[in-house]
Amino acid sequence: DAGVIQSPRHEVTEMGQEVTLRCKPISGHNSLFWYRQTMMRGLELLIYFNNNVPIDDSGMPEDRFSAKMPNASFSTLKIQPSEPRDSAVYFCASSRSGGDTDTQYFGPGTRLTVL
Amino acid sequence: TQLLEQSPQFLSIQEGENLTVYCNSSSVFSSLQWYRQEPGEGPVLLVTVVTGGEVKKLKRLTFQFGDARKDSSLHITAAQTGDTGLYLCAGATYNNNDMRFGAGTRLTVKP
């Protein structure tokens, strides 16, 4: 079975440009998570969805970040406008029900560089 | 400040040595998970502990959840080069269902 699929794997853009990261969760999973990982701050939860509905977006840094999940098999994380401090690896993860003992399956990540 | 503090931040040892890494917090967790992450990949779940005082073994890895459910440790016996990676702990509090991650311990096992 395919795991969590993320695209693109690498993105290099200039400050001020719009960036869209994409995620396809594992089929049958009801919860989807977006994380950001940097050396300074580690792995931070940005937002998570349950049954396509955003449950907790308190980790979203500011209004420049937005996330959508239009259906059970697709989610996007958009940054507009992007800034150099947004450079990080962005991970998407999915789990069956989002419970605290559920296994989260992570995608390979998107490495974003904002120049 | 991190909800979960992991120590040490970096650890470099020789193959065959034993090691312990720690995950500490002032918060009480309903459950705690350990993940391992290799370069260029996402974290992969190793274990979930849910009962205070619980000990789980996974081959050469031993995981312990503190009695007060505020801390955990991971002990590796006779480390191998394949154990190299970033070890992350993640906890869920009773207030939130989502998992919060520590900054990780970066382990290097040298041949």
Side-chain angles (χ1 to χ4, degrees), chain B residues 3 6 17 48 56 66-68 70 76-77 94 98 106 109 111:
Chain B
L3 180 64
Q6 290 192 245
E17 293 182 1
T48 300
K56 278 192 175 179
D67 291 340
K70 293 182 178 181
I76 301 179
T77 303
Y94 288 98
D98 50 296
R106 192 167 298 277
V109 182

Side-chain angles (χ1 to χ4, degrees), chain A residues 61-74:
Chain A
E62 48 198 90
D63 292 345
R64 298 184 298 107
F65 286 68
S66 62
K68 294 182 180 179
M69 192 164 186
N71 57 62
S73 59
F74 184 65

Side-chain angles (χ1 to χ4, degrees), chain A residues 43, chain B residues 2-7 21-25 29 31-36 43 45-47 49 63 70-74 86-92 99-105:
Chain A
L43 195 63
Chain B
Q2 295 271 357
L3 180 64
L4 286 157
E5 297 289 338
Q6 290 192 245
S7 61
V21 298
Y22 301 93
C23 176
N24 296 301
S25 178
F29 295 101
S31 67
L32 193 139
Q33 297 180 327
W34 284 92
Y35 290 76
R36 185 172 77 199
L45 180 69
L46 296 174
V47 78
V49 286
F63 304 85
K70 293 182 178 181
D71 53 84
S72 180
S73 63
L74 159 58
L86 178 67
Y87 288 82
L88 297 160
C89 66
M99 305 296 286
R100 303 290 171 168
F101 282 78
T105 292

